[in-house]
Amino acid sequence: MALKTLGAKAAAALDKELMSTGAFSIDQLMELAGLSVSQAVFRVHPINKGRRVLVAVGPGNNGGDGLVAARHLRHYGYHPTIYYPKRSKNELYQRLAKQLEDLDVPFVDDFPQALSSTDHVIDAIFGFSFSGEVREPFPAVINALAETKVPVTSVDAPSSWNIEEGPPKTGVGSNFHPNFLVSLTAPKPLVKHFKGRHFIGGRFVTPAIAAKYDFDVPEYEGLDQVVEVGPSGQKL
Amino acid sequence: MALKTLGAKAAAALDKELMSTGAFSIDQLMELAGLSVSQAVFRVHPINKGRRVLVAVGPGNNGGDGLVAARHLRHYGYHPTIYYPKRSKNELYQRLAKQLEDLDVPFVDDFPQALSSTDHVIDAIFGFSFSGEVREPFPAVINALAETKVPVTSVDAPSSWNIEEGPPKTGVGSNFHPNFLVSLTAPKPLVKHFKGRHFIGGRFVTPAIAAKYDFDVPEYEGLDQVVEVGPSGQKL
């Protein structure tokens, strides 16, 4: 039995529905998405393996999830650093960045330098709405993530991958294979090309929504906001 | 060493500061507050002790925290029921209620009936901004909570208690002693009159804010959004 997935258009429609008839605000959804990511990182990278976590933040919602995850990780005792080269004027992202500044989380401009002195990386550059070309300054960032020995956790999608087709055949991202992936609400079709440890997060989906969009709500345990799944979606 | 507490005026100022210079939205703070409450209930009332949780929801922010807690409890596998007699026209609370309706969580009008068929009660009626008289229809509700054998968890304050002085000397609430209390951000002065198990929640306070308002950020463990503390604030 293959894992049920949610294509790019369906994921966009689901997001829109959650925030209209579903009555969620983006603040709420992003808080819960970022919380899920922080819990996955806590699980795959226990704090005794090194506290330094570099978060590569893109200009959109995927980046916002990364900013929220960084705040929770700071509260767990990690030492996040933020690379956020294309700051959005969006008021929510500005607030999420301010919350990190108030926790003395550093924002840095030199990605190679930051990558050489971290224990883990969160790739929160692009999510399910990505398509087309990787724009500056992110090609070099993704090339560095493809080559680094530091473990990488991608949020919702390995950045640069086509949401339906997976890694590009050539060029930026063609050799990018992150160690960990946190799919938000449901895996995207690209997951069939992903060989690392796979988590699903976003414990707010109703059974009715999952049925409408034809995916499965995974069996979360206890208070967990993420669940690790195998290649066919079975709980591990 | 006594537990450092936050008086009613200071708690209001802190809330205001979190949402202005602190850059948090009320959606975000309420999500994290309600998540804390849900985790405390999960800890004091494991699901095998009965899944039914009645949430008594007041008209303000304390009620909003209760609505969020109910949603998380539903996702953990509990069966919440909501008593919400004074529905606010506030758009956020309306959205939080809709999120519960979409999970088929029942809203009921008959409190005594609901109380007779539940395993746990969350008192989310009044919080730190309460003062003066308990208004209708809540006197009978608080009297019922004072008399019930069902375990009760209060959110931030046992409803009807004076935030500084504790239980009223006479009348409604004078004999109300909930089993569990979840103080949000910091305990209120009333806590010196509370004899049950005490939790602190709200894992978003910065060290700078805690220093400014002269309270201690408790030592949370792992991913926990609550920590149980003893009479002097020591971790249990």
Side-chain angles (χ1 to χ4, degrees):
Chain A
M1 194 183 83
L3 192 60
K4 286 185 179 176
T5 60
L6 196 62
K9 279 186 186 169
L14 168 62
D15 236 34
K16 200 173 164 189
E17 178 156 350
L18 286 169
M19 288 189 271
S20 53
T21 53
F24 286 91
S25 67
I26 190 166
D27 289 53
Q28 238 189 322
L29 292 176
M30 200 165 275
E31 192 63 33
L32 293 172
L35 181 68
S36 294
V37 172
S38 73
Q39 290 197 353
V41 171
F42 182 90
R43 207 181 295 185
V44 300
H45 190 98
I47 210 160
N48 62 14
K49 289 172 85 180
R51 292 173 182 259
R52 300 171 303 174
V53 179
L54 173 60
V55 188
V57 176
N61 283 352
N62 203 252
D65 297 340
L67 294 172
V68 172
R71 172 164 36 81
H72 286 290
L73 287 165
R74 180 69 196 85
H75 284 293
Y76 305 155
Y78 292 83
H79 298 160
T81 293
I82 312 296
Y83 172 73
Y84 189 16
K86 290 284 180 189
R87 287 217 191 194
S88 169
K89 287 186 179 159
N90 176 296
E91 181 253 351
L92 169 57
Y93 306 148
Q94 291 193 349
R95 286 194 288 99
L96 296 175
K98 174 68 161 64
Q99 291 163 22
L100 289 167
E101 288 161 3
D102 287 349
L103 285 164
D104 297 323
V105 170
F107 285 66
V108 297
D109 292 325
D110 185 338
F111 189 78
Q113 166 64 30
L115 186 59
S116 72
S117 52
T118 192
D119 303 304
H120 196 97
V121 185
I122 297 177
D123 155 28
I125 302 174
F126 303 124
F128 69 78
S129 58
F130 173 79
S131 69
E133 295 286 300
V134 176
R135 298 205 184 154
E136 293 298 338
F138 294 109
V141 172
I142 289 165
N143 284 335
L145 292 181
E147 283 163 26
T148 185
K149 302 283 187 210
V150 176
V152 177
T153 295
S154 287
V155 177
D156 216 27
S159 295
S160 77
W161 285 27
N162 181 282
I163 301 306
E164 322 287 338
E165 305 295 334
K169 299 263 183 295
T170 58
V172 174
S174 57
N175 59 339
F176 176 36
H177 292 278
N179 309 72
F180 312 105
L181 173 66
V182 186
S183 294
L184 295 170
T185 68
K188 310 306 174 291
L190 55 73
V191 78
K192 62 183 174 289
H193 299 279
F194 174 73
K195 305 297 180 201
R197 288 175 63 187
H198 180 207
F199 296 81
I200 299 178
R203 198 173 183 180
F204 48 75
V205 174
T206 65
I209 283 279
K212 176 171 175 181
Y213 287 86
D214 191 28
F215 64 86
D216 300 310
V217 177
E219 282 182 46
Y220 294 90
E221 288 277 337
L223 300 173
D224 293 352
Q225 299 289 324
V226 282
V227 54
E228 186 167 5
V229 295
S232 0
Q234 79 279 19
K235 194 164 70 176
L236 292 181
Chain B
M1 194 183 83
L3 192 60
K4 285 185 179 177
T5 61
L6 196 62
K9 280 187 184 168
L14 169 61
D15 236 34
K16 200 172 163 188
E17 178 156 351
L18 287 170
M19 288 189 273
S20 53
T21 52
F24 286 90
S25 67
I26 189 164
D27 288 54
Q28 238 189 324
L29 292 176
M30 201 166 276
E31 192 63 34
L32 294 172
L35 181 67
S36 294
V37 172
S38 73
Q39 291 198 352
V41 171
F42 182 89
R43 205 181 296 186
V44 301
H45 190 98
I47 210 160
N48 61 14
K49 289 172 85 179
R51 290 173 184 260
R52 300 170 304 175
V53 179
L54 172 60
V55 188
V57 176
N61 283 353
N62 203 253
D65 297 339
L67 294 172
V68 171
R71 171 165 37 81
H72 286 290
L73 288 165
R74 180 70 196 84
H75 284 294
Y76 305 155
Y78 291 83
H79 299 160
T81 293
I82 313 296
Y83 173 75
Y84 189 16
K86 290 283 181 190
R87 288 216 190 194
S88 169
K89 288 186 177 159
N90 176 297
E91 182 252 351
L92 170 57
Y93 306 148
Q94 291 194 347
R95 287 195 287 101
L96 296 175
K98 174 68 162 63
Q99 291 163 20
L100 289 167
E101 288 161 3
D102 287 349
L103 285 164
D104 298 322
V105 170
F107 284 66
V108 297
D109 292 326
D110 185 337
F111 190 78
Q113 167 64 29
L115 186 60
S116 71
S117 52
T118 191
D119 303 304
H120 197 96
V121 185
I122 297 177
D123 156 28
I125 302 175
F126 303 123
F128 69 76
S129 58
F130 173 79
S131 68
E133 295 286 300
V134 176
R135 298 205 184 154
E136 292 299 338
F138 295 109
V141 172
I142 290 164
N143 285 335
L145 292 180
E147 283 162 25
T148 185
K149 302 283 187 210
V150 176
V152 178
T153 295
S154 286
V155 177
D156 216 26
S159 295
S160 76
W161 284 27
N162 181 283
I163 302 306
E164 321 288 338
E165 305 295 335
K169 299 263 185 296
T170 57
V172 174
S174 57
N175 59 340
F176 176 37
H177 292 277
N179 309 72
F180 312 105
L181 174 66
V182 186
S183 294
L184 295 170
T185 67
K188 310 305 173 290
L190 55 73
V191 77
K192 62 183 175 288
H193 299 279
F194 174 74
K195 305 298 179 201
R197 287 175 64 187
H198 180 205
F199 296 82
I200 299 179
R203 198 173 183 180
F204 49 75
V205 174
T206 65
I209 283 280
K212 177 172 175 181
Y213 286 86
D214 191 28
F215 64 87
D216 300 310
V217 176
E219 282 182 47
Y220 294 90
E221 288 278 337
L223 300 173
D224 293 351
Q225 299 288 324
V226 282
V227 53
E228 185 166 5
V229 295
S232 354
Q234 78 278 22
K235 194 165 70 177
L236 293 181

